[in-house]
Amino acid sequence: MTGGAVRTIAVTSGKGGVGKTNVSVNLAVALAEAGQRVLLFDADLGLANVDVLLGLQARRNLSHVVSGECGLREIILRGPGGIGIVPASSGTQRMAELTPAEHAGLIRAFSELEDEVDVLVVDTAAGISDTVVSFSRAAQEVLVVVCDEPTSITDAYALIKLLSRDYGLDRFHVVSNLVPGAAEGRALFDKIRRVTDRFLDVTLDHAGVIPEDPYVRRAVQQQRAVVEAFPSSRAAEAFRQLARQVLAWPLRRDADGRLQFFFERLVALQGEEAGLP
């Protein structure tokens, strides 16, 4: 990808416990395998665990960049496949309160990475907090992870409804996770689409199916991505297929493709939600 164009994808879910972070991590690794330069932003501020999932230790995080203690490159961890990982920080929660100089510094920090990144994967928190809304609105694409449980389906619908009715988002990608197979994954997607077709003015795209696979649990126990640890497993192949699907999405014409504009937009949106002028 050239000219600074970066795909920005918010990976989210209506509730916790549906494997959202696992999807974020393995999608990032699969995209890297496909030749993309990937930055994975751990934006789950209350329960940051991308580094834990991969057995990495973050000594510094984004709050240290905001405070000027270090540069962005100094906090980036390197994960499997060469993916870069930006550790979460409570500092992100106060983006709405940053001074103009801090705004400029943070945006400049990310702009310096622009020619080094093809895809930014943002692992949001679960639920419908203001922070989740901000990240979802700032991204070009929203990938909703859902599993076949009534609470997961209900909460995923609630998230889509909120983003659609209150903020005007009209396109969502859905990945069916932890299902027995392709047929069950498609049936799960159809359950959600029937409701959204009836009550919401949105387009839902079935991004893929990640099957239940004992190798995923084994990979988690080893603190590794299943795509790297067990590359021939069903789940690993499913993540590669998801990555191929993501790369086939057309770049949004209505969203600026440069990396720093994602963060400019994020800062502006969080300021708007805080009632700042």
Side-chain angles (χ1 to χ4, degrees):
M1 204 172 285
T2 59
V6 177
R7 294 181 187 273
T8 55
I9 304 163
V11 182
T12 189
S13 64
K15 69 180 289 289
V18 300
K20 172 187 54 60
T21 297
N22 214 339
V23 169
S24 297
V25 167
N26 281 283
L27 172 59
V29 177
L31 286 166
E33 273 191 6
Q36 300 296 296
R37 297 169 301 173
V38 183
L39 190 63
L40 174 57
F41 182 14
D42 187 351
D44 189 344
L45 306 174
L47 197 65
N49 54 8
V50 165
D51 51 346
V52 175
L53 202 60
L54 290 174
L56 302 171
Q57 274 196 320
R59 291 185 298 109
R60 291 177 168 177
N61 56 48
L62 204 56
S63 67
H64 297 99
V65 178
V66 170
S67 67
E69 294 175 51
C70 62
L72 183 60
R73 282 190 179 86
E74 295 173 67
I75 71 165
I76 293 176
L77 305 173
R78 284 295 157 190
I83 65 170
I85 298 160
V86 178
S89 87
S90 57
T92 314
Q93 289 173 305
R94 54 177 279 268
M95 273 194 181
E97 303 161 12
L98 297 185
T99 66
E102 287 174 327
H103 280 177
L106 188 61
I107 292 162
R108 186 167 58 250
F110 277 97
S111 71
E112 289 169 2
L113 293 180
E114 186 161 86
D115 294 331
E116 303 169 23
V117 179
D118 298 314
V119 185
L120 173 69
V121 177
V122 182
D123 182 43
T124 77
I128 53 176
S129 69
D130 287 348
T131 306
V132 172
V133 168
S134 295
F135 281 118
S136 299
R137 293 174 68 195
Q140 294 169 0
E141 308 290 351
V142 179
L143 182 64
V144 181
V145 180
V146 64
C147 63
D148 198 3
E149 297 174 0
T151 51
S152 174
I153 296 167
T154 301
D155 292 350
Y157 173 77
L159 174 65
I160 292 168
K161 178 181 175 181
L162 174 72
L163 292 170
S164 166
R165 288 194 173 173
D166 292 1
Y167 300 103
L169 274 65
D170 61 3
R171 183 175 69 172
F172 300 86
H173 306 278
V174 176
V175 60
S176 306
N177 195 32
L178 304 172
V179 291
E184 292 85 355
R186 182 73 202 193
L188 172 56
F189 170 75
D190 287 341
K191 281 183 194 176
I192 299 172
R193 189 175 61 177
R194 277 194 296 271
V195 183
T196 57
D197 282 353
R198 184 173 177 187
F199 296 109
L200 304 176
D201 186 18
V202 299
T203 299
L204 249 56
D205 160 57
H206 193 206
V209 173
I210 310 298
E212 275 190 301
D213 186 337
Y215 283 106
V216 172
R217 179 176 291 277
R218 287 179 62 182
V220 168
Q221 289 169 341
Q222 294 179 18
Q223 293 184 291
R224 298 172 69 192
V226 72
V227 169
E228 176 211 25
F230 302 104
S232 59
S233 64
R234 289 176 69 211
E237 180 49 44
F239 281 118
R240 290 193 198 95
Q241 180 58 40
L242 176 61
R244 289 191 287 270
Q245 187 78 6
V246 166
L247 293 176
W249 296 342
L251 277 172
R252 298 283 292 267
R253 292 177 181 272
D254 59 341
D256 197 302
R258 296 178 70 80
L259 184 60
Q260 78 266 33
F261 286 112
F262 168 81
F263 290 93
E264 285 182 359
R265 183 165 165 75
L266 179 64
V267 166
L269 290 170
Q270 292 198 325
E272 173 188 309
E273 283 163 14
L276 299 180

